[in-house]
Amino acid sequence: MRVVISIGGSVLAPDLDAGRVDGHAAAVERIVGEGCEVGAVVGGGGVARDYIGIARDLGANEVQLDHIGIDVTRINARLLIAALDGLAAPSPPHDYEGAGEALRRGDVPVMGGAMPGQTTDAVAAALAEYVDADLLVYATSVDGVFSADPDGDPTAEQYDRLTGTELVDLVAPMSRGAGASAPVDLLAAKLIERSGMRTIVLDGTDPDRIAEAVLHGDHTGTDIVPLGADGDPERWDR
Ligand code: UTP
């Protein structure tokens, strides 16, 4: 099974803690050890937001801000690469072709951002589509897709299972306006919809949860399944 794992910056590096990064690297190592091919994408988290905020005060334009965000995601990617030892490609690929080549060599590509105007949510969805992954996992700080922001709205309900189209319909209104709280961004949702990519959104703060979801399909988050899909990836049936 080939899987792309997106690890949010707020999950991997809410602060700088070697133990936390090591824990996520161990989960990736376990998944690879079970015979899966893995591509990883790492977000920028609070550090990216801090840098972007300061650069905005300094008058940087939105594309310049995005480049700063991308640089931070790549620094976080380098932390995971360091923790993965020789298992990972030595530097974050800047595009999907580079990541695909690393995967073909038997390395784990660890990407950060790819281009301005999007987030690493979309990078992960595009990488999954590009390498024809069987599964895409978003390890976020929230356990799945909710009807509203579960941090601010006590009536927010979690969805167990959605189609890609339902995900797009849910995320589109959430993505408008400042402080958007969509679990994955709209571009990512559209890529998931068009590719029919089987996707899981889960709370990945505990890296074991990521490994259990990938290896056994066990999780308490949200499954996004192509319309008409009747089963789980072959691997889970074994
Ligand atoms: P993130 O993917 O971490 O953004 O990229 P985010 O969704 O705001 O972070 P989380 O999920 O809440 O932790 C950080 C920033 O880097 C730029 C964007 O400005 C983004 O907000 N970026 C990232 C890009 O411009 N392009 C990319 O491909 C990736």
Side-chain angles (χ1 to χ4, degrees):
M1 181 160 78
R2 184 173 299 154
V3 56
V4 170
I5 302 170
S6 169
I7 307 176
S10 50
V11 170
L12 186 77
D15 46 29
L16 288 181
D17 178 344
R20 185 180 293 106
V21 180
D22 248 343
H24 281 89
V28 171
E29 282 163 4
R30 183 179 155 203
I31 294 165
V32 171
E34 293 282 338
C36 295
E37 291 176 51
V38 177
V41 180
V42 173
V47 178
R49 275 192 291 278
D50 288 348
Y51 269 87
I52 287 171
I54 288 189
R56 183 174 277 123
D57 292 345
L58 292 169
N61 64 42
E62 291 300 317
V63 175
Q64 290 173 321
L65 297 179
D66 282 344
H67 278 297
I68 288 172
I70 290 168
D71 283 346
V72 175
T73 64
R74 289 179 181 160
I75 287 176
N76 283 343
R78 284 186 186 275
L79 286 181
L80 187 61
I81 288 169
L84 281 168
D85 235 341
L87 205 63
S91 61
H94 288 195
D95 58 31
Y96 305 112
E97 290 177 350
E101 281 163 17
L103 209 55
R104 270 196 298 280
R105 282 196 308 269
D107 290 341
V108 174
V110 184
M111 292 186 75
M115 67 191 74
Q118 59 178 39
T119 73
T120 51
D121 293 344
V123 175
L127 178 61
E129 187 171 18
Y130 180 76
V131 300
D132 199 17
D134 301 290
L135 180 66
L136 168 62
V137 176
Y138 286 99
T140 72
S141 48
V142 176
D143 202 21
V145 181
F146 285 72
S147 54
D149 183 356
D151 286 335
D153 186 343
T155 66
E157 282 178 29
Q158 192 217 43
Y159 297 98
D160 273 356
R161 196 178 170 102
L162 293 167
T163 65
T165 304
E166 288 169 335
L167 181 69
V168 170
D169 290 345
L170 255 168
V171 163
M174 288 183 189
S175 302
R176 278 184 214 118
S181 61
V184 297
D185 69 28
L186 183 57
L187 178 55
K190 286 182 172 176
L191 292 173
I192 290 166
E193 180 190 32
R194 84 168 182 191
S195 63
M197 183 62 57
R198 199 182 202 298
T199 304
I200 297 171
V201 181
L202 52 70
D203 178 351
T205 47
D206 175 355
D208 286 341
R209 290 177 178 222
I210 303 172
E212 283 304 311
V214 171
L215 296 174
H216 307 297
D218 291 338
H219 66 90
T220 55
T222 300
D223 281 306
I224 296 140
V225 289
L227 197 61
D230 50 0
D232 291 329
E234 204 180 303
R235 186 185 169 84
W236 296 341
D237 297 337
R238 280 194 241 144

